[in-house]
Amino acid sequence: MPPPLKRLTPAHSSDRQKISPPAEQLLSTSGVWGTKVSAVQIIASRKENEFMNMGKRDHLKPKANVSSYIHFLLNYRNKFKEQQPNTYLGFKEFSRKCSEKWRSISKHEKAKYEALAKLDKARYQEEMMNYLGRRKKRRKRDPHAPRRPPSSFLLFCQDHYAQLKSENPSWSVVQVAKASGKMWSAKTDVDKQPYEQRAALLRAKYREELSVYRNQFKPRKTRLQESATNQCRGLEQAESDTTDGSN
């Protein structure tokens, strides 16, 4: 009886680790390691590993702030569970109901959630100032892109920040924002109208500038998509050339 055949391995693990990533792509493309694996599949595998490592977060890092709508959504979800504990709604149906409810509430009620979002943002900024861990690199802003306009509430805060800070110099940013939110909630619709008109004018100006920007400059997302497409085409062309040469 002949001896059993030994399983042939493409390369030793230690030898394989010494190969640089570009060489690894070339070797895998030409089929040196047995199974023919494209370079696109290698890139996809690396992206998958990066996605799996995203769950390993720093628990000491401050919790990121959320928008006024998210504050409303969380409050609406808690009330819905209390009022109808046995009713189950899917994510799509619940999001639709929450969006309809958000559009139906008054501006005065929305101002409360805008104030909560302002406080949450100030809390996050203050905690990040004392955070010494690893920070996420911010994406560079396009200098040609127009800045988003402030809301009526933010315009009100800007007008009263200096006064509140001078009257209470020991207050932190969170305390000033909290006082501004209380003052804004106490204002009537007539008192808020000048700030809403200013915000509407700034929004109209922003839309015009954004339209000009989109016509003059290509969006960054489109440039990245074209770059990725060209890279994949080049890898596929190199793979086909290598296959033809081996034949």
Side-chain angles (χ1 to χ4, degrees), residues 26-234:
L26 295 174
L27 291 175
S28 61
T29 305
S30 59
V32 175
W33 289 345
T35 306
K36 185 178 179 180
V37 181
S38 66
V40 178
Q41 291 175 329
I42 294 176
I43 297 174
S45 177
R46 290 176 179 173
K47 292 294 182 183
E48 184 178 359
N49 293 334
E50 293 176 0
F51 178 77
M52 295 298 293
N53 293 330
M54 286 175 62
K56 301 177 181 179
R57 297 178 179 176
D58 186 1
H59 298 287
L60 300 177
K61 188 175 183 179
K63 188 177 180 181
N65 60 298
V66 296
S67 63
S68 56
Y69 177 72
I70 298 300
H71 282 287
F72 167 79
L73 186 144
L74 296 174
N75 187 31
Y76 182 77
R77 184 184 64 178
N78 294 333
K79 289 183 178 180
F80 184 83
K81 286 183 177 181
E82 292 176 0
Q83 296 173 359
Q84 304 179 25
N86 299 326
T87 305
Y88 172 76
L89 283 180
F91 177 78
K92 186 176 181 180
E93 181 67 17
F94 176 78
S95 300
R96 184 182 64 81
K97 286 183 175 292
C98 190
S99 179
E100 292 176 354
K101 183 67 175 177
W102 174 256
R103 289 194 296 265
S104 64
I105 64 177
S106 63
K107 294 181 179 179
H108 177 73
E109 193 172 355
K110 283 184 180 180
K112 296 188 297 184
Y113 297 102
E114 290 178 356
L116 286 174
K118 182 71 176 178
L119 290 172
D120 194 22
K121 183 178 181 181
R123 184 270 315 163
Y124 175 70
Q125 291 176 348
E126 190 172 10
E127 291 180 356
M128 284 299 293
M129 290 176 63
N130 301 323
Y131 176 67
L132 302 177
R134 185 178 180 182
R135 295 174 181 266
K136 184 178 180 181
K137 293 183 179 180
R138 295 182 61 182
R139 189 179 66 182
K140 291 185 178 180
R141 180 183 174 275
D142 190 350
H144 302 286
R147 290 187 175 274
R148 291 184 178 273
S151 63
S152 56
F153 173 69
L154 290 180
L155 291 174
F156 175 82
C157 292
Q158 291 173 4
D159 290 348
H160 292 80
Y161 178 83
Q163 179 184 354
L164 291 173
K165 192 65 177 176
S166 61
E167 294 175 355
N168 305 278
S170 60
W171 278 10
S172 63
V173 178
V174 177
Q175 291 173 320
V176 174
K178 189 175 181 179
S180 300
K182 290 181 179 180
M183 292 172 58
W184 176 257
S185 300
K187 295 290 183 181
T188 62
D189 294 339
V190 178
D191 296 333
K192 294 179 180 179
Q193 189 174 3
Y195 296 100
E196 293 174 356
Q197 291 176 353
R198 286 171 55 189
L201 292 175
L202 291 175
R203 283 195 300 269
K205 182 181 178 182
Y206 169 74
R207 293 192 188 100
E208 294 178 0
E209 294 176 352
L210 186 63
S211 178
V212 174
Y213 166 75
R214 287 176 175 173
N215 293 332
Q216 291 182 353
F217 301 96
K218 269 190 173 183
R220 183 175 182 272
K221 186 176 180 181
T222 305
R223 295 199 303 268
L224 291 176
Q225 288 177 350
E226 291 181 356
S227 177
T229 303
N230 295 332
Q231 184 180 4
C232 291
R233 287 177 180 174

